Each structure stands twice: as C-alpha cells, then as structure tokens.
Amino acid sequence: MTTQSIAGPFQPGHNHKACVRDAMNIAEQLCQSKDLRLTKIRKRVLELVWAGHEPATAYQLLKKLRAEKENAEPPTVYRALDFLVEHNLVHRIESLNAFIGCDHPESEHVSQFLICSHCNQVAELDDSVTINHAVSEEAKRLGFKVSNQTVEIMGLCAACQ
Amino acid sequence: MTTQSIAGPFQPGHNHKACVRDAMNIAEQLCQSKDLRLTKIRKRVLELVWAGHEPATAYQLLKKLRAEKENAEPPTVYRALDFLVEHNLVHRIESLNAFIGCDHPESEHVSQFLICSHCNQVAELDDSVTINHAVSEEAKRLGFKVSNQTVEIMGLCAACQ
DNA sequence: AAAAATTTTGTTATATTATAACATAATAAT
DNA sequence: ATTATTATGTTATAATATAACAAAATTTTT
C-alpha cells in the first residue's frame, strides 16, 4: 500500500490508480475488522465514487451502475450510499448533493472540504485542530453542544488559480 | 428599531415580533439604498421566511404564499428566494435545503450557522474571527483561494440540552 | 407622453434528488 | 433445518429545483 494519495487530489504527483487501490483496500480491511458487509453492490458503488475526485451525484452513479447491472434503481444506489456514508467510507457534500470517497474511514474524524469551482475536484482536510477547534470554541461560548459539522469551502485550488 | 434580536433565537428574552420588524425595516432600507426592488412578492416571501427561526423550505413557503395568492407556483418562490439570497436578506442552509432570514444583510459577512437538532432553530454566528480565520489559514496553507464557505454546525442549543 | 428596453411575474412543463412500501432473496444465527 | 435478520428487487411517489416562453409591469429613452 502506497501513501502517495494521502494529501488528496490537489497534488502534482497524484497517482490516482494507487489512490483508488489504497482506498478499496482500506475499505475491505475496515469492513472485515468491524464485521460489516461490503457487498458486491456496495463495493461497486464505492469504486464508482472513487472514479475521480469530483463528487458524484447519486444519479450519476446510478447511470454508471446501470451500464453493468440493468436492474439498478435509485434505491440500489441510495442504500449503498447510506451504508458507505454511515461507515465513513464516503462523505456527502451537502452543497453539491454529491458524494466523494474518504481515504481514512478507519480514523474517527471531522471533515472539512475544499471544493474547487473550476476543476470541480474536492479535497478533504484532515484538520482536527484549527477549524475544528475554532468551531468548538465558538459553540462552547454560546452553550451549544456540537454533534456534527458541515464545513465546505468553495474556491480555486492552487492549480486552477 | 430595537436591538433585542441581535444575538439570535437562542436567547431567553427573544422578542420575535421586534426581531421581524427590525429585519423588515433593515430590508426596506437596504433595498432603497441599493436601488433594489423589494417587490410585493419578494417582501412577502421575506416575511414568511421570518415567521420563525426554523429554516423554511421553498415548498413550505409556497404553501403559505398560496394561501393568500392562489396562482403562486414554485418559480414564484424560487425567484423571490434567489433575489433574497443574492442580496443577503436570506441565507440558504445547505444541509437542510432551507432558508432563514439574515438580520444584518447590510454588512458584508461570512456566515456560520448553529442548527439545533431538537428545536430546529438556527442561529447565525457573526464570527469574522475565530472560525473564519481558521478556515482562511488552512486554505492558505494549501494554496487554495477561498471564495465562499458553508459552515453548518449541528447539535443542541443551550435550552434543549 | 409615447416608444423602446428592461425587469418581473405568470404559466406550463419537466428535471433532479430522494424515499416509502412491500416483495423476494441471501446471509447469519439458532 | 429452521428462524431471524439483513440486503436487494421493484414499483410508485415525494420533495426539491429549473427551463422556457408568454404576459405584465416598470424604467429608460426619445
């Protein structure tokens, strides 16, 4: 397993094949260790999500899935996504109604996303310090108990500026 | 114009009538000063959004609007919302596909939202420091140029814990 | 004030995103 | 093997959002 993909897609040397392979390996391991059923459908949907770093909508995934499984219907994809999201294998991008793969589902984490509005790629930040801390502080100050965050940052990645 | 509503809905003494009246006054002023047309429909939709601090969906607003304007259709509401969002009179909550009023549309600002999952009320944070700064720093570190942020924090407000 | 240009609203249709509900099949537990 | 549980198949529909073109209202220009 390589570690080339760790920092996400906004990298000159991004090796996507290795990136996907790693992600799938990690998913298999995680499901095995947690006794989760990564069924054929779920696995295939995960692979389709990982086709790129541009978030995929449910219906884009459905279209691809149908190419190889003619009886696929919306629930087929949504159920798979429900499973994948629940177990952090995939994250939902709220502002896009779309989904991207997570390359570190095994570690509990709070996600932030950088969304490039030019190339449409999304990178997940693994910032358990700066942003996360700021959010907690602000919330605490107001007596608000945080359970969950959506942090989605739109703009231009380095390559697209 | 009172200032009682400044800190949002998670306050014991929240005076909602004053809160709405202030918001509508500010909206009128803003549109006047910027030469924007706060038409009858737009104004009414804004009032309906301000009916509460629970974000309203477009179709909830449509339903209410129809009670008094039978020929209202989805575009009627969506267009009004487009206008209101464009001019910061209303913010869209991405994770809820819903809309809430903004009480300080005149000041350019980046918004963060606290969403109480029990009472469903939403408060807008006016944090141009902590969270905002953290986001900028993280982005800068990665050479990412921020144009826009979605920060939506789910949890329990003080009253609901 | 009339004409032209622009903006807003009316209206119909449809696209996109997502879930409900119930049947069948596959897998796991007893 | 039987039972229970989980996953998938299938049909229908709910919920969210926009396209496209016509008519009306408003603003600008003449």
Side-chain angles (χ1 to χ4, degrees), chain A residues 146-158:
Chain A
V146 175
S147 64
N148 192 235
Q149 321 171 2
T150 296
V151 177
E152 296 171 5
I153 304 169
M154 275 64 79
L156 290 175
C157 72

Side-chain angles (χ1 to χ4, degrees), chain B residues 37 39-42 69 71 73-76 79:
Chain B
R37 295 202 230 158
T39 61
K40 208 171 164 184
I41 293 176
R42 290 167 176 175
K69 181 174 162 55
N71 70 337
E73 296 290 342
T76 314
R79 284 167 180 158

